[in-house]
Each structure stands twice: as structure tokens, then as C-alpha cells.
Amino acid sequence: MTNRENLLSLLRRQGYEHVPVEFVLCPHLQELCKEKLGAEDYEEYFGFPWRRVDDLKLADQDVEKFRKFYERPLAEGADIDLWGVGHEKSPNSMHMTYMRHPMEDMETLEEVMEYPFPDFAHADGSHQPEQVKKIKEQDLVALGDMQMTIWECAWYMRSMEELFCDMGDENEIAEFLFDKVTELSLIRAKAYANAGVDVLFLGDDIGMQHTIMMSEELYCRWIKPRLKKIIDEVKRINPEIIIFYHSCGFIEPMIPHLIEAGVDVLNPIQSECMDFGEIYQKYGDKISFHGTIGTQTVMPKGTPEEVKEAVWKNLDIAGEKGGLFVAPTHMLEPEVPLENILAYVEACRTYRRS
Amino acid sequence: MSILEEISEFLQKGKRKNVKALIEQALEEGIDPKMILKEGLMSGMSIIGGKFKREEVFVPDVMMAARAMNVGLSILEPKLVEAGNEPIGRVVIGTVQGDLHDIGKNLTAMLLKGAGFEIYDMGVDVSAEAFLEKAEEVNADIIGLSALLSTTMLQMKEVIDLLKEKNLRDKYIVMIGGAPITNEFAEEIGADYYTPDAASAAEAAKKAVESK
């Protein structure tokens, strides 16, 4: 199998020859890898099986236009993203930022409708087919990364509390905002699909540590049909495309809904929130998984031996068909020892089914 | 159903307008504002908290109920001040230094407020010194610490160590919470309480000040 075939076959539960590795490093660990390993580009250094294709490029890159939506001004040095969401920094918080919501104080549908949403309908995607081609020529899988697809995208603009209240009140703001965000996500998703990506990575956090974030009823009323609509359209363009979906936390009751919506691979199955063995037993014939190695526990706090055992145990659960792209569940933060990262990589490379 | 029960019912459903109208009506009928607070708003918040803990309702329901509570409180508060109503305790709450996540902390503050506490919300990225200074200033009973990251949870220990250093450890009840926090961690750093969710935090806080 080529590298590409190996990953795609593993994700389709049709067997695999070697265990691919993948993780995300925080800026501190990226520096450490450069210094200790000479890994200028850690994705290349460790041989990750996929590369990201850039999103559509907006014609209007001006984000200053969003500043007027902040009644309480943004802190000095804050960034504004292309959705108008403010990100305030703190010298103590490394790469993390505090999010501010431009629509938080809006009270009428008219105000929400007049908001300058990013104009993806007129954005430039001419770079995408070229990037996809190059990635595939290198025997790598082409990935379109579109996490924060519907719910989180709307929440970041409106604020969680306001949006939940909009949903609870069944008001027109929620209806309009979800429709708008879905429309924009659909444009981006179709562009990725038309450019030929192998994998489209969607996601919206709908779990907390031990419970789901909202009721199944609320999820099915507002979000599931919109997610399904995006996936249906993308699969109409390319039935072979593999849909990843990310949600942190405990989301077991939501898994059947995600399967119905058309998700193929679920990320990250946090080991601190759900038992992979149980989840695999229940759903492993309908959906594949990406993640499972805990970044709250074994990655920062375990020994290298414990990291390896966790990797091997989960690969054994998935068995010879595959269906598990084993990886740390989240970005690796500064407290994760380099030895544990190397142990994860070694465990993948030396894995022999028991 | 009594008018106070109705207030509680509408609060649980997050119906702000009904809560507001009924509180105004109750005041007109001459019902003691303390009774309206206790039997109407606090009772509703306690029921919704219990349902949240039992996973019968979820975050949106608590947020909507809390919003209805706040609408109600804005009418009641001036009357409560006149009546000399005392909170059941004072809580200084915040997300520890280096951490900017506040959804869990805000939810906990809402339920503590619903349980009758006076809340001093310090926001996010709060230093150990700032927690202590505020707690001393407002004569707090409880210091509530939140962290989402395994990196920043270690800052909780800093707060407790600072309290020890200043010989103030016994003066405050220290409660901690957040995704990566466990009972073992609470014991390890010497916190008084860890609770896994916001409703349990409000219940534990109530018991803690009662037995203080």
C-alpha cells in the first residue's frame, strides 16, 4: 500500500499495513522539537500522512470594520478574526486567548442581519486544486480543515449564553444565524470537495467532561439537520470523501445522530470522558475513530511506557481492519514531556497486533 | 399553585417575562420580598440545579433559568436591601492565572448566586494575590477556583500556598473545579472541596458555610 492508500484504507476499516502518526504541538513544543531534534517542520519530520489545504481566500481582509460592534472595547493588542470574533491575549496564557463576541449585545434580528459576515460566496479558491494535486503527488492525504462548522461558529459570534437563550426562546435570531453560518460553511465545504480533498474535517463541541452540552432534542432541532445538509452536499460532489467530526468531551448520546448525519470518523474520543473499548464495541462497525490517547492524563502525566501501552491497547481494540487513527486527543501543551511524544511515535511504528 | 410556586416554575423554564410580571404582582400583593426570593427564585434555581446534576436538563436550561433569576433579582434587590436581607455567604470566584476559559466558572457563579450567595466574580487569568486581596476585602467565606487546562490547574496550588504563607488558610473554604480536576488532585494540593459540576458546587458551598 502507498502511504495514502494505507491511511484511507485504515479509515474505511479495510485493513492497513502500518500505523500512521499525527499530533498537534503548541508553539513551545514546536520550538523544543526544533532545538532537540532539528525538526523544522514537525509534520514532515515525523511523517504525518496528511497535509492541510488552505481555505478560501476572502477578497475583503479588513477586520477593523468589526471593532464598532464591541460596546466594551477590545483589550489592547487583541486580534480580530475574519468572523469578527475578538481574541484578547494575556502574557500569562501562552497561545490561548480570551474570546469576545461581536453580536453579544444585539437585540433585534435586523442588527444581526446587517452584520458584515465574511463573503465566502465571492472568495478565491483558485489555490485549492493546485495544493491538493501537490499533496497527493507526495503520496499524502489532502485535508480540508473546517472545524467550528455551525454551532461553535455561531456561538463565537453571538456568545454561548445569548445563543442558548435565542434557541430556547425559538427566536428568529437563532434561525437566521444558524442558516447564515450553514450557508457560509457549505460554500467552503463544496470548494474543498470540488478541489478534490480526501478528508473534510468538520466539528462543533457538543460535549462537556462528563455530560452532553445540550439536550439531544435541542441538538436535533437546531444543528443536526444543518450538519447533515453540509455532509449530503459534499458527498454528492464526491461520494468517496471521508468526513471527520470533532467534539471534545462526553458525547456518547450524540454518536448515533452524528452517524445519521453522515460522519465517517469521530475525533477525539477523550479517554478521560469516554471508554474507547465500549464506544468501539457499540459503534465500531458504523464509524471510525481518530484520537483516544488522553492529553489530560497519560500524555502529560504518564511514563513513556504507559503512553505506549495506551496506544497498543487501543490499536488492539480496533483490530486488523483498522478504524482507529490513534493520536493524542488534543494539542500537546508545554507540560507534555518530549519523551512521551517520542514514545507515542515509537509505539505506532513498532506496533504488532497481539 | 401559589404565586411563588408559579415564579419558581416559570424560572425553571427560563420564562423571563412571566417571572418579572409575577414578581411585580407578588410585591403588589404585599408578599415579603425575602419570601419571593426564597420560595420563588431560589427554589426554582435549586430545582433546576438538581435536574442539571441528574442530567435531566443541560447547560442551556441553567443559563436561561439564571437569566430569568437575574431579571427577577433586578426588581427584588432594592426591596431586599431595604429589608436588610443578608446573603448566606460570600464567594470570590475566578479562573486561575494563565487560564482564559470561563464557561464552567460562569455557570458555577450562576448556581451559587441562585443558592443565595453574594458573588464576586474576578473573571479569568486571576493571580493568587488578586484572589486573596479580594477575599480579604469583602470578607469572603469561600474562594472558588476554576481551571480547564492541565497546565493551569497547578496554579490552584499557588493560591492555597499563598493562603498558608499568610496564615489565612483556615479563614477560607477553598473550592476547586474544572475539566481535568479530580478528588485526588484536590487532596494533593489541600483544597477543601472538589465538585464535578456547577450544581454540586452550589450544594457543597451551602453545606460548607452552614457547618463553618
Side-chain angles (χ1 to χ4, degrees), chain A residues 273-326:
Chain A
C273 309
M274 294 190 282
D275 181 79
F276 176 61
E278 248 173 64
I279 298 289
Y280 185 87
Q281 202 182 7
K282 280 190 192 161
Y283 307 106
D285 57 338
K286 297 182 192 74
I287 196 165
S288 295
F289 304 94
H290 173 222
T292 74
I293 304 302
T295 53
Q296 287 173 346
T297 46
V298 70
M299 286 307 296
K301 292 174 192 157
T303 62
E305 215 38 56
E306 285 165 341
V307 171
K308 285 186 201 170
E309 277 163 21
V311 170
W312 291 335
K313 183 180 156 209
N314 289 351
L315 286 169
D316 280 345
I317 290 171
E320 62 183 19
K321 280 186 181 171
L324 171 63
F325 183 1
V326 70

Side-chain angles (χ1 to χ4, degrees), chain B residues 98-130:
Chain B
D99 201 322
L100 304 176
H101 297 85
D102 65 358
I103 293 170
K105 183 264 295 170
N106 293 346
L107 208 58
T108 308
M110 287 173 197
L111 285 165
L112 285 166
K113 193 171 171 186
F117 284 95
E118 193 164 272
I119 305 299
Y120 295 87
D121 188 341
M122 304 286 289
V124 297
D125 193 16
V126 182
S127 69
E129 291 77 16

Side-chain angles (χ1 to χ4, degrees), chain B residues 70-183:
Chain B
N70 284 335
V71 168
L73 278 179
S74 65
I75 310 168
L76 273 188
E77 254 159 11
K79 315 273 176 195
L80 290 168
V81 172
E82 274 173 39
N85 186 59
E86 277 290 311
I88 66 167
R90 292 182 175 81
V91 183
V92 169
I93 190 169
T95 304
V96 296
Q97 188 156 53
D99 201 322
L100 304 176
H101 297 85
D102 65 358
I103 293 170
K105 183 264 295 170
N106 293 346
L107 208 58
T108 308
M110 287 173 197
L111 285 165
L112 285 166
K113 193 171 171 186
F117 284 95
E118 193 164 272
I119 305 299
Y120 295 87
D121 188 341
M122 304 286 289
V124 297
D125 193 16
V126 182
S127 69
E129 291 77 16
F131 273 115
L132 179 56
E133 200 176 305
K134 194 67 180 179
E136 288 284 281
E137 179 196 322
V138 303
N139 195 21
D141 302 285
I142 297 175
I143 299 176
L145 308 173
S146 174
L148 181 78
L149 306 172
S150 52
T151 321
T152 53
M153 64 195 264
L154 304 172
Q155 286 295 323
M156 293 175 160
K157 188 171 182 296
E158 299 288 318
V159 180
I160 291 171
D161 288 349
L162 184 68
L163 287 174
K164 285 184 191 158
E165 189 190 310
K166 305 274 182 194
N167 284 323
L168 292 168
R169 180 63 191 91
D170 295 337
K171 191 173 169 190
Y172 299 105
I173 299 160
V174 178
M175 299 184 61
I176 64 172
I181 313 297
T182 57
N183 260 326

